[in-house]
Amino acid sequence: MTVDSENLVAAGLDRRVRSSFRGKVANFAPFATLLTLLIFFAIASPSFASLDNLTNILTEVSVTGIIAVGLTFVILCAEIDLSVASVANATGIAVAFFTAQNASVNIANIPLSGGLAIVVALLVCVSLGVANAIGITWIGVPSFIMTLAMLQIASGIGALLIRGQIAYAVPPLISTLGSKSIGPVPWVVVVAATVLLLGHFTLRYTRFGRYVYMVGGNREAAEYSGVNVRAVIASVMVISAVCSGLAGMLGVAYFGSAQQEEFDSYLLDSISAVVVGGTSLFGGQGGIGNTVIGLFVLGILNNGLDHVRIDSFLKILIRGLILLAALIINVYAQRLRASRSPVADA
């Protein structure tokens, strides 16, 4: 082998080593954040590191986790859904609206059987997801604008149904899944884990999941490969709405009531879970595993700050700083991935 050939081989090996190192750094950052928070709060508060508190954390992030699954599909396609919290709220209000309420609840609702109330509520969230899909894929409205409008529409639907009142009763199945336990484990945790597993399986082991990554990674290449890009984007918008609707129904049972603006904080929480976990806002990189890490980061952060009794207003600031750091890491990771491309290495 000549000296020039040896130099070329060495240069290629060096590029591969640097590429691998960059990729590992980008993927390890969210896990390192999680590990740091765990160690810090375990040392700062003896009551933090307990089995009961772990159950509390899992319960607290369950509703967010269900919403975040659908949002992961959307963000992997390089789109965004700002309507998830409003769709959750509208669906939760709908399932209560179609359930018989106590006479003290001053709402002119339409009582249906438990199963039928759930079906109607699911139809509400599916319809909102289909409307998002049509607006984005067939009309051509950017997802940011379309879902921003849907945020207002879904909020309006919820307000129209509940009319400033508070409803408490939900179908027995929703009440069980949202507020009761199977042994020491709350049912809402079991449902959230099931939805996360189904999301992971779909993304990693099905053709549709591969299409989601292809559309998010390179939309033009996906089209040239024969992928129906519009159908994939439409599908993820409906999936996001269904996940939000399910979370909304369980959330109403978990909170014990259905009312306006009940899920407002869940928009930021669900986006944060996806982004903090390392799923790229630019699409094509990440997945449910990243979302799980993001959920634990947020859950441990919120729970841990309560255990160390930090100022509630400072807690909001810290969460904002964590999200900003995650966004910076996300953008930096995207640059690292871009530098690993064949063009960059040429």
Side-chain angles (χ1 to χ4, degrees):
M1 184 179 290
T2 64
V3 174
D4 289 341
S5 298
E6 291 177 351
N7 289 337
L8 287 173
V9 170
L13 181 61
D14 180 60
R15 281 197 299 269
R16 286 193 293 273
V17 170
R18 284 187 286 110
S19 175
S20 176
F21 176 75
R22 291 169 179 169
K24 289 178 180 178
V25 169
N27 293 325
F28 183 70
F31 182 76
T33 303
L34 174 61
L35 192 61
T36 301
L37 289 174
L38 271 172
I39 294 172
F40 173 77
F41 288 122
I43 295 173
S45 173
S47 61
F48 175 81
S50 67
L51 189 58
D52 287 342
N53 193 49
L54 174 61
T55 302
N56 291 336
I57 293 172
L58 291 174
T59 305
E60 289 167 2
V61 301
S62 292
V63 174
T64 304
I66 296 171
I67 297 175
V69 169
L71 200 55
T72 302
F73 278 80
V74 173
I75 291 177
L76 282 173
C77 280
E79 301 289 347
I80 191 65
D81 186 354
L82 299 179
S83 67
V84 289
S86 294
V87 171
N89 204 29
T91 308
I93 289 174
V95 79
F97 180 83
F98 291 107
T99 303
Q101 299 292 324
N102 187 282
S104 62
V105 177
N106 186 25
I107 300 174
N109 66 329
I110 306 173
L112 301 174
S113 65
L116 192 54
I118 295 172
V119 170
V120 173
L122 286 174
L123 286 175
V124 169
C125 67
V126 170
S127 299
L128 296 176
V130 169
N132 272 336
I134 292 173
I136 294 167
T137 59
W138 274 270
I139 299 176
V141 181
S143 60
F144 181 90
I145 302 300
M146 183 65 212
T147 58
L148 183 63
M150 187 55 66
L151 181 156
Q152 294 293 322
I153 293 169
S155 295
I157 292 172
L160 186 64
L161 293 177
I162 206 74
R163 294 184 176 275
Q165 302 299 312
I166 300 176
Y168 300 97
V170 293
L173 176 61
I174 298 300
S175 178
T176 297
L177 295 179
S179 61
K180 293 180 172 56
S181 300
I182 174 172
V185 182
W187 269 111
V188 68
V189 174
V190 176
V191 175
T194 302
V195 174
L196 285 162
L197 285 172
L198 286 173
H200 177 73
F201 178 84
T202 301
L203 285 173
R204 292 296 179 183
Y205 303 108
T206 68
R207 180 177 297 178
F208 175 74
R210 291 193 293 273
Y211 287 169
V212 169
Y213 281 100
M214 290 173 67
V215 170
N218 191 322
R219 193 162 295 184
E220 291 184 1
E223 288 179 345
Y224 288 137
S225 300
V227 176
N228 190 334
V229 172
R230 290 203 305 181
V232 172
I233 294 175
S235 297
V236 300
M237 300 310 298
V238 174
I239 289 171
S240 179
V242 171
C243 288
S244 297
L246 176 60
M249 289 190 288
L250 297 183
V252 166
Y254 176 69
F255 298 135
S257 65
Q259 55 187 305
Q260 289 175 239
E261 302 177 354
E262 192 166 41
F263 287 82
D264 283 3
S265 64
Y266 280 82
L267 173 59
L268 179 59
D269 287 347
S270 55
I271 292 176
S272 298
V274 178
V275 174
V276 168
T279 294
S280 174
L281 287 167
F282 304 96
Q285 297 285 342
I288 299 299
N290 298 82
T291 299
V292 170
I293 292 176
L295 285 169
F296 274 110
V297 168
L298 293 180
I300 288 170
L301 180 64
N302 290 332
N303 183 275
L305 290 175
D306 289 338
H307 276 263
V308 297
R309 298 179 181 179
I310 198 166
D311 187 298
S312 59
F313 297 101
L314 182 59
K315 178 180 175 180
I316 298 172
L317 173 61
I318 292 174
R319 285 186 52 175
L321 291 174
I322 291 289
L323 178 58
L324 176 60
L327 290 170
I328 293 172
I329 292 171
N330 201 301
V331 172
Y332 181 63
Q334 179 64 22
R335 291 177 180 173
L336 288 178
R337 294 184 184 107
S339 70
R340 293 167 60 192
S341 66
V343 174
D345 287 342

